[in-house]
């Protein structure tokens, strides 16, 4: 299309919808684009929050909320996936072990 935006012009309050949040880079870039257009980011809706650290010691979600003062709503988190597998959901022990290891190495403590 030759630009960053497709569709209606950015104006007023804008809700950011993202499939997976890892470090929050895409959301930070979106906030910049929204503000540059003269609009206001109103919040973020995430399909999956991987609960990973952001730039510092907080999770990416915590950083977004603190830095931009906008709410972040998460449909499902990494902890939810782990709980599902622990309860006997589809998958095998290797997947569960892999997710636990990922959480231990890259994520902050569980968030409510």
């Amino acid at each position: 299309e030759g630009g960053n935006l497709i569709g209606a012009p950015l104006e007023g309050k804008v809700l950011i919808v993202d499939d997976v949040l890892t470090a929050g880079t895409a959301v930070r870039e979106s906030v910049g684009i929204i503000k540059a257009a003269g609009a206001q980011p109103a919040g973020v809706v995430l399909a999956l929050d991987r609960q990973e650290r952001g730039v510092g010691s907080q999770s990416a979600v915590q950083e977004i909320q603190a830095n931009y003062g906008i709410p972040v709503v998460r449909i499902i988190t990494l902890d939810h996936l782990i709980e599902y597998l622990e309860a006997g959901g589809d998958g095998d022990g290797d997947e569960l072990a892999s997710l636990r290891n990922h959480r231990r190495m890259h994520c902050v403590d569980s968030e409510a």
Side-chain angles (χ1 to χ4, degrees):
E1 297 290 327
N4 288 329
L5 303 174
I6 299 171
L10 288 176
E11 58 188 18
K13 293 184 178 183
V14 177
L15 179 65
I16 300 167
V17 179
D18 200 358
D19 56 350
V20 177
L21 185 79
T22 303
T25 304
V27 171
R28 284 192 294 277
E29 289 174 359
S30 295
V31 167
I33 292 168
I34 291 165
K35 287 182 174 183
Q40 177 185 359
V44 180
V45 175
L46 303 172
L48 171 64
D49 175 11
R50 291 177 52 164
Q51 298 176 271
E52 293 189 12
R53 285 180 207 88
V55 176
S57 62
Q58 293 182 315
S59 75
V61 166
Q62 291 167 329
E63 288 180 354
I64 290 165
Q65 291 172 330
N67 292 338
Y68 302 113
I70 58 176
V72 178
V73 176
R74 307 166 305 162
I75 296 171
I76 191 168
T77 66
L78 180 64
D79 282 344
H80 292 132
L81 292 175
I82 290 171
E83 288 172 17
Y84 174 75
L85 292 172
E86 287 172 340
D90 293 337
D92 59 34
D94 290 341
E95 290 170 338
L96 181 56
S98 178
L99 288 175
R100 284 179 176 154
N101 185 55
H102 178 83
R103 179 174 56 184
R104 185 173 49 259
M105 305 228 7
H106 302 285
C107 301
V108 298
D109 290 335
S110 298
E111 304 170 50

